[in-house]
Amino acid sequence: MSMKKSMSSLHRARPFALGTLAAAAFSLSFGFVESTPAYAKVAPQPAVLTASAVAVADKFAADAAEQVLKEGGNAVDAAVAIAFTLAVTYPEAGNLGGGGFMTLYVDHRPYFLDYRERAPIAATKNMYLDDKGEVIKGMSLYGYRAVGVPGTVSGMWEAQKRFGKLKWKQVVAPAIKYAQDGFEVSDQLQERKDAASKDFAGKTNFDSYFGGLNKGVNFKQPELAATLQRISDKGAKGFYEGQTADLISTAMAGHGLITSQDLKEYKAVWRQPVLASWNGYRIITAPPPSSGGIGLVQLLKMKADLKDKYANVPLNSAQYIHLTAEIEKRVFADRAQYLGDPDFYKVPIAQLIDDDYILKRASEVNPDAPSDTKSVVPGLGTTMPEKAETTHFSVVDKWGNAVSNTYTINGYFGSGVVVDGAGVVLNDEMDDFSSKPGVANMFGVVGSDANAIEPRKRPLSSMTPTILTKDDQVAMVIGTPGGSRIFTSIFQVISNVYDFSMPLPEAVAAMRFHHQLLPPNTIFWEPYKPIEGDLAKQLEAKGYTLTKQGFNGDIQVIKIDDKTPEPAADPRGRGVTRVIQ
Ligand code: DON
């Protein structure tokens, strides 16, 4: 079943280590939202790690990162080279025509770059509803009208301009080579292409571009190579203005809403990351318009609050899954109500990750039986106006800088539209808006006015690129695709590593499950490590329904013990790792 179809111990009183007294005061009085330091070019630094390392979705991107790091690039240069390369060699999710989030730790300081797509200027709240006010099936998923204004090229340009060491051309070069000379298509890529082709049949030009994408073939993309060359020559303007922009707006004319003005206006935004202290670590993660960082912090802290209830409960036993589902219920109730684009809607971030609030939510957990779904409502007491693919990569350089990047075109191959003449696959990110309050999107999650469609607004995301630091040094860089499964997957891996002391590869490979309030009392399980036999019976006896899903993430993580980075790629995908001296 493809996503497209179905889709310890804790000491949170202790504030995380901060550079200045002022910042500490800020963090204590405002929860965990701390100001991002002013613009700073990376200063020359001595090597602090034994090596650089990457965990990425395919071997071509790992090669690109290695090349750039060996040319003297830092983690940001490597990240940008990876992002452009995956747009060529991992076209089901890597992209120029989508958007994402980058969490960075540079020179011992946290940053967050939001290059999420925006709704076109001509978008309207009810654009996916019919005359009767019902959601028109598939309209936000397939074809031109599903597309949000792409952010990836602006994001890469901003990140590299601010923190990169190499010339822009050097980081775009590997991608141009793969587009021009071709790359060998893997079995998994063809399988995903075949599945997507069925979804897009008769709706888009997908087959005419990707018809030849078959395993073992050397697949070349000359139009994409030319687009990348324009980006290499002109920077972000090579995408948002001139020939590439013309090709996109011409393709849209009469079909979709994106115009040359939409493209020209688009700009990635630097935001304050969500910061929290947990278990002696500082968590640096994604703020709105992602729901993921807030969700991850709520999950980790609520589990910590319940340490007595979790004590001696074996990992992934029926009771463990039950307690975790109880936490997840509360996190998803808040997600549906309070989260949206912070430029349009005041998201109560500090309140949602406040220790006392989370403790109160934890006290509502019923250790014996599933809480009645209807009784689990958003917890702040006020009602305030929320297919598969995405890919994540993690990078650290030997100077101790880190990049955690998740970007997406939403479903596999996005909207299925490939821009004629430009070879750019366009996203279907508009599906992440709430087309109608209470009606679920591709991932089965619902939303409210906070995530209603408005011109220039960014749809709510679950992407959660995360960095953990300890004593101002990077300890872990982690993320995954998976839509609403993203932050529950990251939560499980972090918990496996730090609460259960599992070796990293085992922590990543371990069974993952998911619950998200709706459908009621439903635990999603994955074919990679099924919930079956006695465990299934025990959960059913507790009142849960078990539902198979095709996919529960593709974690790319680097853990640093002392000074040595250990990367791990999820065995569920075709990811690879590299340690680069
Ligand atoms: O932003 C989001 O949350 C989704 N558009 C991400 C999609 C995704 O992870 C699909 N991958 N399996």
Side-chain angles (χ1 to χ4, degrees):
M1 184 170 58
S2 75
M3 183 73 83
K4 184 127 200 162
K5 294 214 177 93
S6 69
M7 151 162 150
S8 99
S9 69
L10 282 252
H11 304 286
R12 76 165 64 115
R14 174 187 172 276
F16 38 81
L18 290 168
T20 67
L21 216 55
F26 188 93
S27 81
L28 289 171
S29 52
F30 289 91
F32 295 91
V33 188
E34 178 190 306
S35 63
T36 299
Y39 184 102
K41 258 281 181 198
V42 184
Q45 306 157 47
V48 294
L49 301 184
T50 55
S52 304
V54 298
V56 291
D58 80 13
K59 62 181 181 195
F60 307 110
D63 287 344
E66 183 165 356
Q67 177 183 324
V68 159
L69 288 163
K70 286 190 166 156
E71 286 170 14
N74 63 14
V76 179
D77 293 308
V80 175
I82 290 169
F84 282 125
T85 299
L86 291 174
V88 179
T89 63
Y90 199 91
E92 67 264 50
N95 67 81
L96 304 181
F101 301 131
M102 187 183 280
T103 304
L104 305 96
Y105 193 67
V106 180
D107 229 357
H108 304 284
R109 290 173 173 185
Y111 301 87
F112 182 83
L113 182 60
D114 169 0
Y115 58 96
R116 180 80 164 158
E117 299 93 325
R118 299 202 314 183
I121 296 163
T124 54
K125 183 171 180 177
N126 296 333
M127 64 185 276
Y128 299 120
L129 304 186
D130 64 15
D131 295 347
K132 296 190 187 105
E134 301 301 329
V135 174
I136 302 168
K137 218 169 164 251
M139 199 175 175
S140 59
L141 286 174
Y142 309 113
Y144 296 87
R145 288 178 74 87
V147 185
V149 183
T152 295
V153 178
S154 175
M156 295 308 126
W157 175 247
E158 287 296 321
Q160 210 273 340
K161 195 166 50 132
R162 184 167 182 178
F163 291 122
K165 285 171 71 183
L166 297 184
K167 293 201 170 73
W168 173 249
K169 281 181 187 305
Q170 283 174 278
V171 300
V172 189
I176 296 179
K177 182 172 107 354
Y178 286 120
Q180 239 159 24
D181 301 349
F183 68 96
E184 190 184 329
V185 176
S186 66
D187 295 7
Q188 189 189 55
L189 177 52
Q190 189 193 331
E191 280 158 27
R192 289 176 174 178
K193 186 265 302 196
D194 290 345
S197 167
K198 287 191 194 119
D199 285 335
F200 298 135
K203 300 186 188 99
T204 75
N205 64 349
F206 182 78
D207 282 341
S208 68
Y209 188 85
F210 283 116
L213 190 83
N214 295 316
K215 61 183 172 196
V217 160
N218 185 50
F219 189 67
K220 296 184 184 174
Q221 301 175 80
E223 293 175 352
L224 182 56
T227 299
L228 285 161
Q229 189 62 55
R230 287 190 290 276
I231 292 168
S232 172
D233 294 341
K234 300 190 177 116
K237 286 189 177 172
F239 184 87
Y240 294 97
E241 296 179 27
Q243 193 179 344
T244 315
D246 288 348
L247 289 166
I248 296 172
S249 49
T250 303
M252 281 281 155
H255 302 288
L257 301 181
I258 296 175
T259 63
S260 51
Q261 190 188 345
D262 281 305
L263 294 165
K264 205 167 173 184
E265 273 188 16
Y266 187 89
K267 204 161 182 319
V269 188
W270 292 98
R271 298 191 189 277
Q272 310 211 354
V274 164
L275 301 170
S277 62
W278 170 82
N279 200 18
Y281 293 89
R282 181 192 201 190
I283 302 169
I284 307 165
T285 188
S290 180
S291 59
I294 292 173
L296 177 64
V297 170
Q298 288 190 333
L299 289 169
L300 288 169
K301 290 192 170 199
M302 233 187 288
K303 178 167 184 263
D305 284 335
L306 294 169
K307 62 175 180 286
D308 292 347
K309 301 213 164 51
Y310 271 100
N312 305 319
V313 175
L315 176 68
N316 293 338
S317 61
Q319 182 62 6
Y320 186 89
I321 293 171
H322 163 63
L323 287 172
T324 305
E326 281 287 288
I327 295 174
E328 289 171 339
K329 265 185 172 152
R330 285 151 181 94
V331 171
F332 276 91
D334 282 355
R335 181 191 192 278
Q337 186 65 38
Y338 301 120
L339 297 181
D341 181 348
D343 292 346
F344 284 72
Y345 167 80
K346 201 172 174 328
V347 181
I349 304 176
Q351 286 164 272
L352 288 168
I353 56 172
D354 174 74
D355 285 351
D356 292 338
Y357 171 67
I358 294 176
L359 188 60
K360 178 178 149 282
R361 292 296 262 174
S363 71
E364 293 161 9
V365 161
N366 181 346
D368 303 320
S371 308
D372 175 33
T373 299
K374 286 202 201 68
S375 73
V376 182
V377 293
L380 291 179
T382 47
T383 45
M384 302 163 93
E386 151 175 23
K387 321 181 174 183
E389 242 350 280
T390 300
T391 182
H392 177 85
F393 51 86
S394 296
V395 187
V396 293
D397 66 29
K398 60 187 178 196
W399 300 287
N401 304 307
V403 173
S404 185
N405 187 94
T406 316
Y407 74 152
T408 187
I409 39 180
N410 200 23
Y412 279 133
F413 299 95
S415 63
V417 175
V418 189
V419 179
D420 282 329
V424 173
V425 181
L426 293 173
N427 68 82
D428 60 340
E429 224 69 57
M430 292 295 285
D431 190 62
D432 276 344
F433 279 115
S434 173
S435 294
K436 183 179 173 178
V439 176
N441 74 358
M442 174 168 77
F443 298 103
V445 283
V446 294
S448 68
D449 270 359
N451 190 31
I453 303 171
E454 290 181 62
R456 299 187 175 89
K457 188 173 175 182
R458 291 170 158 88
L460 183 62
S461 174
S462 299
M463 292 185 288
T464 318
T466 298
I467 297 173
L468 268 58
T469 62
K470 190 167 200 162
D471 302 329
D472 286 340
Q473 304 292 339
V474 174
M476 180 177 275
V477 187
I478 184 167
T480 180
S484 54
R485 283 80 179 149
I486 289 175
F487 53 95
T488 60
S489 293
I490 295 173
F491 160 72
Q492 288 173 79
V493 175
I494 290 179
S495 173
N496 292 347
V497 170
Y498 295 109
D499 290 349
F500 288 92
S501 304
M502 286 169 81
L504 191 64
E506 281 172 38
V508 173
M511 184 190 98
R512 292 201 287 267
F513 58 90
H514 176 77
H515 172 72
Q516 57 177 32
L517 187 64
L518 296 172
N521 300 330
T522 299
I523 305 288
F524 292 95
W525 58 272
E526 48 167 358
Y528 182 72
K529 294 261 167 86
I531 295 183
E532 54 196 0
D534 285 349
L535 179 58
K537 286 192 195 118
Q538 287 161 17
L539 284 163
E540 280 159 358
K542 280 182 183 288
Y544 288 104
T545 301
L546 300 177
T547 298
K548 183 179 171 186
Q549 61 181 0
F551 182 81
N552 210 122
D554 185 14
I555 292 272
Q556 307 296 339
V557 57
I558 303 170
K559 182 169 176 276
I560 298 171
D561 284 322
D562 194 14
K563 303 218 171 303
T564 303
E566 179 192 7
D570 204 319
R572 292 160 180 83
R574 61 180 195 269
V576 300
T577 63
R578 288 281 156 79
V579 175
I580 300 142
Q581 297 298 332

